[in-house]
């Protein structure tokens, strides 16, 4: 018997098991798809309403209607990936700590962080993912077919976009792990989801909106450098919606920084996770 | 007379128990309340960007459906107050859960009226909430006082206070009615999700509902004939004097109407629900 488990096949097994479980309750599966989609569509309605009163978000920022919808689609893609792979697992992780059931995960001959991060896959989130792709396609069609300087889409841009999209997912994942691991010290963490919602609400808009006043600049600095959630959507969305960017140097600096931030976040979350496991005192039996 | 006194003392006891129970977690409460203002910060920046785009870099003098940038910020802050009155976290799901688990029978065999008991619980909960949350609310409103044009006249303040109390009642009886649907469909989670979704977008929590006016089509009329707008939009718009005169009078009358409607609906649902009820659980 091989000592090292094959992570690929274990992951594939997780995917399959979750799909089987989700499809066993088929009407529940569809209700979940429809309800998460209706949330997204209502949000889209809100932005359509906003764009009936303005033609761009911020003056001279370049975030017109279709550019912003590329941004929105990116938010949707990042969030649906996080919801699909990590959200249910990491909520479960806090619960495992509280009830002491983490013992079982610790005993398995596989990396604990891998196990608790991927065990469940929330398949209904693919509905949002597909909707994100649809919205992205429509917005990109509009941007590439507009009469004044249409965007020229290249394969390279799409490839770079995908890389940065995954970086964004990795940053959010790291933040989640850090938040959840903190429940080892706090005993329980009921407001985890609330905190997550409030913090990530800063990542939902183009970072140019924070260019007003000292409070805005402070927030921009904090959420770019201390907790790098502002770049999660901003960097990939800019690659597609504003290929040249408003300020090219700024764009390359930010992209470079995002790669570094992703690496650092992952390392930091891994460190917090290991540290938290050392403080874990089983509450079971 | 004695019966009335006995009832009053029961209610007083219920109220006190809740009050002290809630005060235990006051630190958590205050922190939670402050965190609730975080999403508003992003909304303020978003609207600042929208107004500055309309004004070509300067948001002063720009108006959207009669709201200046300052009005919009004031509106968002006021809508958090309306929602502090009208939101009932866990009420409908709690009632539905008690029905499903069979716990509700303990109210049926005691000389207690279930709906009054739940209402008293909420009043106690809300009062505690306001007492403790007054500190963070005062801090936020003091910092943001520049967004307001001073206090409105007394009669507007009275109408505002009245509509806030009504929004509490409306929120309570509407959620209680939804919870009672649990007598028929043991699981009401997806129904609650739909209610939450509509409340979030159509109560005026996301944007002042006047914005729908210029959209054309029936949207504005549809949204404004739903009771949901009284949960957040209506009180805030009254305070900002966006609704005045006869319109204000009619608004308050319709709000009272909706409250009465849902009081009756929740009573009826409870009356017929109990007949349907088969006391699951041990």
């Amino acid at each position: 018997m091989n000592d090292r488990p094959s992570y690929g096949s274990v992951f594939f097994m997780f995917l399959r098991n979750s799909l089987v479980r989700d499809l066993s309750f088929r009407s529940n599966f569809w209700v979940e798809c429809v309800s998460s989609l209706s949330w997204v569509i209502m949000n889209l309605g809100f932005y359509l309403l906003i764009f009936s009163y303005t033609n761009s978000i911020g003056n001279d920022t370049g975030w017109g209607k279709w550019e912003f919808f590329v941004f929105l689609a990116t938010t949707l893609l990042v969030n649906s990936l996080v919801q699909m792979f990590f959200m249910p697992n990491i909520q479960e992780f806090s619960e495992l700590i509280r009830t002491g059931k983490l013992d079982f995960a610790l005993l398995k001959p596989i990396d604990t962080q891998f196990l608790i991060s991927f065990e469940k896959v929330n398949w209904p989130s693919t509905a949002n993912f597909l909707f994100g792709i649809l919205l992205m396609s429509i917005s990109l069609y509009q941007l590439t077919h507009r009469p004044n300087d249409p965007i020229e889409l290249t394969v390279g841009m799409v490839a770079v976009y995908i890389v940065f999209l995954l970086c964004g997912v990795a940053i959010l994942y790291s933040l989640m792990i850090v938040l959840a691991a903190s429940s080892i010290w706090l005993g329980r963490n009921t407001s985890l989801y609330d905190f997550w919602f409030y913090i990530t609400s800063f990542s939902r808009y183009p970072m140019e909106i924070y260019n007003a006043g000292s409070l805005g600049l402070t927030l921009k600095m904090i959420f770019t450098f201390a907790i790098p959630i502002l770049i999660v959507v901003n960097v990939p969305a800019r690659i597609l919606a504003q290929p040249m960017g408003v300020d090219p140097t700024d764009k390359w600096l930010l992209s470079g920084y995002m790669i570094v931030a992703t690496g650092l976040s992952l390392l930091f979350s891994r460190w917090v996770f290991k540290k938290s496991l050392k403080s874990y005192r089983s509450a079971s039996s | 007379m004695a019966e009335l006194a006995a009832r009053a003392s029961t209610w007083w006891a219920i109220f006190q128990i809740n009050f002290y129970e809630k005060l235990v977690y006051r630190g958590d409460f205050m922190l939670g309340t402050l965190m609730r203002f975080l999403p508003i910060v992003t909304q303020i920046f978003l609207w600042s960007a929208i107004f500055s785009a309309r004004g070509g870099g300067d948001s002063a003098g720009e108006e959207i459906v009669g709201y200046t940038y300052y009005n919009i910020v004031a509106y968002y802050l006021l809508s958090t107050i309306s929602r502090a009155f009208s939101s009932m976290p866990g009420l409908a799901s709690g009632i539905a859960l008690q029905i499903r688990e069979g716990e509700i029978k303990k109210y049926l065999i005691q000389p207690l009226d279930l709906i009054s008991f739940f209402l008293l619980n909420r009043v106690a909960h809300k009062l505690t909430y306001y007492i403790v949350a007054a500190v963070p609310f005062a801090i936020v409103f003091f910092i943001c006082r520049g967004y307001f044009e001073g206090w409105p006249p007394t009669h507007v303040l009275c109408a505002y206070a009245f509509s806030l109390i009504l929004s509490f009642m409306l929120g309570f009886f509407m959620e209680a009615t939804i919870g009672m649907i649990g007598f028929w469909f043991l699981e009401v989670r997806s129904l609650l999700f739909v209610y939450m979704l509509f409340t979030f977008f159509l109560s005026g929590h996301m944007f002042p509902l006047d914005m729908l006016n210029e959209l054309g089509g029936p949207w504005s009329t549809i949204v404004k004939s739903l009771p949901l707008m009284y949960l957040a939009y209506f009180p805030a718009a009254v305070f900002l004097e966006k609704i005045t005169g006869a319109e204000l009078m009619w608004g308050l009358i319709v709000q009272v109407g909706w409250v009465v409607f849902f009081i009756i609906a929740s009573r009826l649902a409870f009356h017929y629900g109990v007949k349907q009820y088969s006391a699951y659980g041990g």
Side-chain angles (χ1 to χ4, degrees), chain A residues 35 39 46 53 56 58-59 205, chain B residues 43 49 53-54 56-57 193 197 211:
Chain A
S35 58
W39 179 260
F46 172 63
Y53 289 103
S56 93
N59 191 36
Y205 300 109
Chain B
Q43 290 290 318
R54 270 172 77 95
F193 182 84
L197 189 73
M211 289 200 158

Side-chain angles (χ1 to χ4, degrees), chain B residues 75-98:
Chain B
Y75 175 83
Y76 274 106
L77 291 169
L78 287 167
S79 75
T80 56
I81 295 192
S82 322
R83 292 197 42 89
F85 277 81
S86 65
S87 73
M88 302 285 152
L91 177 65
S93 54
I95 294 178
L97 188 75
Q98 292 207 330

Side-chain angles (χ1 to χ4, degrees), chain A residues 12-86:
Chain A
F12 183 72
M13 184 89 77
F14 287 157
L15 280 181
R16 221 189 50 173
N17 286 351
S18 305
L19 188 62
V20 169
R21 187 171 44 214
D22 277 339
L23 287 182
S24 322
F25 305 98
R26 212 156 294 192
S27 41
N28 184 61
F29 178 83
W30 291 117
V31 167
E32 269 184 51
C33 285
V34 169
S35 58
S36 61
L37 263 184
S38 43
W39 179 260
V40 170
I41 289 169
M42 283 237 181
N43 258 307
L44 193 65
F46 172 63
Y47 295 117
L48 281 172
L49 186 69
I50 281 183
F51 279 106
S52 71
Y53 289 103
T54 180
N55 41 34
S56 93
I57 293 210
N59 191 36
D60 276 339
T61 53
W63 290 111
K65 184 172 173 180
W66 295 110
E67 285 92 347
F68 181 74
F69 282 167
V70 168
F71 187 95
L72 194 65
T74 309
T75 314
L76 210 56
L77 293 178
V78 171
N79 283 346
S80 60
L81 285 176
V82 168
Q83 264 159 21
M84 189 167 169
F85 291 108
F86 305 121

Side-chain angles (χ1 to χ4, degrees), chain B residues 189-217:
Chain B
R189 229 177 315 174
S190 39
L191 194 71
L192 273 176
F193 182 84
V194 173
Y195 173 73
M196 189 199 72
L197 189 73
F198 278 91
T199 310
F200 191 77
F201 287 95
L202 306 182
S203 69
H205 183 60
M206 281 292 271
F207 55 89
L209 295 179
D210 312 76
M211 289 200 158
L212 295 168
N213 290 353
E214 285 177 32
L215 204 60

Side-chain angles (χ1 to χ4, degrees), chain B residues 4 7 12 46 69 76 84 100-101 109 112 117 119 138 151 155 169 186 195 203 207 227 232 234-236 267 277:
Chain B
L4 202 67
R7 182 173 283 189
W12 180 238
L46 175 69
Y69 166 57
Y76 274 106
R100 198 177 49 194
E101 310 244 298
I109 53 170
L112 260 179
F117 177 75
L119 181 64
W151 291 96
H155 70 275
M169 307 261 287
L186 294 172
Y195 173 73
S203 69
F207 55 89
F234 185 76
R267 289 276 163 201
Y277 180 61

Side-chain angles (χ1 to χ4, degrees), chain A residues 126-155:
Chain A
T126 38
N128 281 4
F129 187 82
L130 294 177
F131 187 80
I133 291 191
L134 179 72
L135 182 61
M136 179 64 90
S137 315
I138 296 172
S139 316
L140 282 180
Y141 179 84
Q142 295 287 340
L143 288 175
T144 48
H145 287 77
R146 65 182 170 189
N148 331 336
D149 75 284
I151 288 174
E152 279 175 45
L153 207 58
T154 60
V155 182

